[in-house]
Amino acid sequence: MSHDCQATKERLIDLLFGEMEAVRDSSLLEEVGRCDECLGRYRSMAETLQLFDAAAQATLPAEEFWPGYEERLRRRMAQEIQPNFWQQSAFPFARGEYRLTFVEDEGLTRRLLRELRGVTRAAGLTWPEFKRDPFGFAARSATAYTRAAWGFFSQRNVALATLSSFVLISLLLGSVFALEQFRRRQLAGVNPNENLTLIGYVDENGIPREQDKVDKGAAGTNEGKGGGSKVKQDAAHGGGGGGRQEQLQASVGKLPTAQLAPPILTANPNPSAVTNPHLPTLPTMQVDPALVKVDPRDIPYGLPNSNSTTPSSGQGTGGGMGTGNGGGMGQGEGTGMGPGRGYNVGGGDPHLGGGGAGGGGGGGDVDYTRPFRQNEVTRKAIITFKPEPGFTEDARKNNVTGLVRIRAVLSASGEVTSISVVKGLPDGLTEKAIEAARQIKFRPAQKDGHTVSQYVVLEYNFNIY
């Protein structure tokens, strides 16, 4: 019969502690006796166990120790455990009460829901009750939850914690408010200018004054609705002014020649003292020539809108004429004309416009020469005649049908311009639609009393019946 030492060693513990049946116990002893290694291990384990038993017996108290032990333990714990803030024992041992304490790891939300369910069950708040008596259900709910809340906050610890929190928050808010009031009083008592040093006074003539509002319409004095010499339509901006610090206002007269180069000689209503100059130079102003109509009259220079006939350059400075400064014409600042700065005309900072000759206004915030969308005009353009395009033979043979969409401008002059195709069709139908669009008759749109151009989208349906 073969012997397995490993299996026998694993069963020795059960043999030592008497956890095996009698038959199996005797057979295992016989098997241990046949193997010297297993027998030596068994004897070693038995001796160790006897030593542990002897040590345990030595540590046990004597029999006379146990009578009165419970009372002695209670008195000792009462001495060791100090009373709390309310002069109560922190644990119930002094009163002879013993309770097991379980540390719950249940979350706050679950505990709250469990408490609410308990209140609901105790008050009989069920769905059938709600359907039977909704108002009574609401009243019982309010009563039950109010009683539960009162029971919770009436507990000594909860009431103390709640009161402490309220007092702490009140003190914190009061402290913040008091500190803010103190800071405001400190700032109010400080002179913000005490560290400033007076260097000097600024001449009021050196402070740029607010420019007058320009008139609406295309800037300049020429005829047209363009904005200047550039090709693309664009509004002109800029201005200028001048004078020679004379008491009288600038006199009426014609404008000097417009050019984009800075002037060498500025306008003056008084004739030159030099009768025969070797290099005659005409007075100029720095304005886009496309925006100023040439005045061939042999009259003194001046401001066309002035009502004074006594020759005067005006109260401005820097040469030129007007109430501004810089050598230009008018009330602006610069070598241009009218309200604005730098040069050119149209108000604001200098900028060269485009789209051709223009005039009739000051170049105000509304450029009436540009096309407007339908929601920007005062009165939309009204189409009085819209001819239908015809079919081409190729389109009819190929059975081409569909929609042609065109974007165009119904201009203030009464013409259809700037036609562009948004959606086309083959076999000449797009060209037919464009040809028909050019023949449209309409009344132009109006904006602020001005006749203006308006964008429009035209659609032509091509169907074969």
Side-chain angles (χ1 to χ4, degrees), residues 391 395 399-403 425 429 462-464:
F391 255 89
N399 197 26
V400 178
T401 60
L403 177 73
L425 289 175
L429 294 185
F462 291 88
N463 296 313
I464 300 176

Side-chain angles (χ1 to χ4, degrees), residues 239-243 262-263 266 286 316-321 323-330 332-336 342:
T266 60
Q286 193 175 1
T317 60
M321 300 180 65
T323 58
N325 61 83
M329 301 293 289
E333 300 175 1
T335 55

Side-chain angles (χ1 to χ4, degrees), residues 101-426:
T101 301
F102 295 94
V103 180
E104 299 182 2
D105 59 354
E106 187 179 15
L108 178 62
T109 304
R110 289 189 176 182
R111 293 202 302 271
L112 178 60
L113 292 176
R114 177 165 50 79
E115 293 293 335
L116 293 177
R117 291 194 191 99
V119 173
T120 302
R121 287 193 298 269
L125 303 177
T126 60
W127 177 248
E129 287 294 324
F130 175 77
K131 292 193 295 183
R132 184 181 64 83
D133 184 12
F135 295 102
F137 180 89
R140 291 195 302 275
S141 299
T143 303
Y145 289 122
T146 302
R147 187 183 301 111
W150 174 254
F152 174 76
F153 285 104
S154 61
Q155 299 179 50
R156 184 185 301 272
N157 293 338
V158 175
L160 180 61
T162 304
L163 180 61
S164 301
S165 301
F166 178 77
V167 172
L168 180 61
I169 293 175
S170 300
L171 289 175
L172 180 61
L173 293 178
S175 301
V176 172
F177 179 77
L179 289 175
E180 180 64 20
Q181 293 297 322
F182 177 76
R183 188 185 68 85
R184 289 184 179 181
R185 286 195 296 268
Q186 290 291 103
L187 292 178
V190 176
N191 182 9
N193 301 322
E194 63 180 357
N195 296 325
L196 298 181
T197 302
L198 178 63
I199 297 177
Y201 293 96
V202 179
D203 184 5
E204 63 178 5
N205 294 326
I207 302 176
R209 59 185 178 85
E210 184 178 358
Q211 295 293 321
D212 297 334
K213 186 176 181 181
V214 297
D215 296 331
K216 295 180 179 181
T221 62
N222 209 344
E223 298 178 355
K225 297 183 178 180
S229 301
K230 294 194 297 186
V231 178
K232 186 177 180 180
Q233 178 69 39
D234 192 10
H237 295 292
R244 291 177 172 83
Q245 296 181 316
E246 299 179 6
Q247 294 183 355
L248 297 178
Q249 67 175 2
S251 55
V252 68
K254 68 178 182 179
L255 293 172
T257 303
Q259 64 177 21
L260 289 177
I264 299 176
L265 182 65
T266 60
N268 191 337
N270 299 308
S272 175
V274 181
T275 55
N276 296 311
H278 294 286
L279 185 62
T281 302
L282 294 176
T284 61
M285 59 180 180
Q286 193 175 1
V287 179
D288 192 333
L291 303 179
V292 179
K293 187 176 182 180
V294 177
D295 191 345
R297 295 177 297 171
D298 187 14
I299 59 174
Y301 293 106
L303 300 178
N305 57 353
S306 175
N307 54 11
S308 175
T309 57
T310 303
S312 173
S313 296
Q315 298 93 349
T317 60
M321 300 180 65
T323 58
N325 61 83
M329 301 293 289
Q331 66 270 48
E333 300 175 1
T335 55
M337 179 179 66
R341 293 171 292 276
Y343 63 92
N344 208 12
V345 65
D349 294 325
H351 175 72
L352 294 178
D365 51 355
V366 179
D367 182 11
Y368 294 101
T369 62
R370 70 174 180 86
F372 293 87
R373 295 190 297 271
Q374 295 186 23
N375 59 351
E376 296 178 328
V377 299
T378 306
R379 190 188 70 187
K380 297 179 182 179
I382 300 175
I383 296 177
T384 58
F385 175 69
K386 182 182 179 183
E388 291 294 330
F391 255 89
T392 62
E393 289 299 325
D394 292 339
R396 199 180 302 277
K397 291 178 181 179
N398 297 326
N399 197 26
V400 178
T401 60
L403 177 73
V404 174
R405 184 176 290 112
I406 295 173
R407 191 171 188 262
V409 174
L410 303 181
S411 66
S413 61
E415 299 176 343
V416 180
T417 61
S418 303
I419 297 176
S420 61
V421 178
V422 179
K423 180 182 178 182
L425 289 175

